[in-house]
Amino acid sequence: IFLNGYFIYLDGIFSIFVGVLIIYEAIIFSRKGISKLLGESLPDEKMGILHDIFSRNGVKAHDIMIHDYGNRKIITLHIDLDSSISAGEAHSIASNVENDIRDRLGMDATVHVDTYDVNLSNRVELDFREIIKSFPEIKGYRDFEIYSSSRGPHADVFLYFDPGITLEKMEEISNSLEKLFIKKYGIRLFTH
């Protein structure tokens, strides 16, 4: 107010500054809200309880997210079950996991069942261990599983690479493994 007589553009400059500040705050506020709706990872203490629930029910779980709808929070997740069990058994296991989550965490849960072939997975994993020995850049792996789907089986594995390897070399090795699996087993391999 006092400087406006000396600087005629000062009011316009401050208006632009306030407008930019409002836009910035709106973006930050919207991102937080949208992130909660689309899903976020759970805090460590709740993940510990979930892992206990999974082990009690004899399942592995992945893609765990919490969706916050204000007064209602919903956990979504996928569990891995042997493809040889019946649909009724799979439904029962998924329901038990959902009920345990509701009882222990006070949240609703939606459980999606992924199936995999345990026997095929074990046989192919033994071959996979031998195959990766020819790649000294691969230092280990975890969670090797073969899933059944409408398009046929596919393998999923998390690889540990030497920290000094380039991203280009990692991609090259992953592509080589994927091509080898399709040729040898007719199974698509997804590496992570």
Side-chain angles (χ1 to χ4, degrees):
I1 292 172
F2 298 114
L3 297 175
N4 198 30
Y6 302 106
F7 304 100
I8 58 173
Y9 299 112
L10 198 57
D11 190 37
I13 292 170
F14 277 118
S15 297
I16 291 171
F17 173 73
V18 170
V20 169
L21 185 63
I22 290 170
I23 291 170
Y24 172 77
E25 288 298 325
I27 290 170
I28 297 299
F29 182 73
S30 297
R31 286 178 71 192
K32 287 180 184 176
I34 290 170
S35 177
K36 286 183 177 187
L37 291 174
L38 294 179
E40 298 177 320
S41 57
L42 275 77
D44 289 342
E45 67 273 2
K46 291 189 190 297
M47 283 302 293
I49 294 169
L50 283 179
H51 286 299
D52 182 54
I53 291 169
F54 302 147
S55 74
R56 282 186 41 207
N57 286 281
V59 297
K60 288 188 200 176
H62 56 94
D63 297 337
I64 303 165
M65 302 292 280
I66 185 168
H67 305 273
D68 189 342
Y69 300 110
N71 63 349
R72 187 169 182 217
K73 292 178 178 33
I74 299 174
I75 295 174
T76 60
L77 60 108
H78 293 230
I79 59 173
D80 302 332
L81 298 177
D82 185 346
S83 59
S84 67
I85 69 170
S86 70
E89 289 174 287
H91 177 75
S92 177
I93 292 168
S95 293
N96 288 342
V97 170
E98 290 172 347
N99 292 335
D100 285 351
I101 290 171
R102 189 175 307 107
D103 293 344
R104 295 200 47 203
L105 292 175
M107 296 182 210
D108 289 330
T110 300
V111 176
H112 174 80
V113 175
D114 289 331
T115 60
Y116 67 101
D117 186 330
V118 173
N119 295 326
L120 178 62
S121 184
N122 290 339
R123 283 194 317 268
V124 175
E125 184 175 5
L126 290 174
D127 284 348
F128 179 75
R129 284 184 191 156
E130 293 303 314
I131 291 169
I132 64 172
K133 287 179 182 175
S134 63
F135 296 96
E137 299 89 351
I138 298 176
K139 298 302 178 191
Y141 73 95
R142 69 176 170 89
D143 297 339
F144 183 92
E145 289 175 349
I146 295 183
Y147 297 96
S148 303
S149 73
S150 58
R151 295 183 302 190
H154 70 272
D156 214 8
V157 65
F158 289 85
L159 296 174
Y160 295 106
F161 286 96
D162 183 312
I165 191 173
T166 65
L167 292 176
E168 183 178 24
K169 185 67 175 171
M170 276 177 38
E171 188 72 25
E172 181 184 312
I173 291 170
S174 294
N175 288 337
S176 296
L177 287 171
E178 289 171 17
K179 287 176 185 171
L180 179 66
F181 259 68
I182 289 172
K183 183 178 179 182
K184 188 169 183 176
Y185 305 106
I187 297 172
R188 293 201 58 204
L189 176 68
F190 296 102
T191 57
H192 308 280

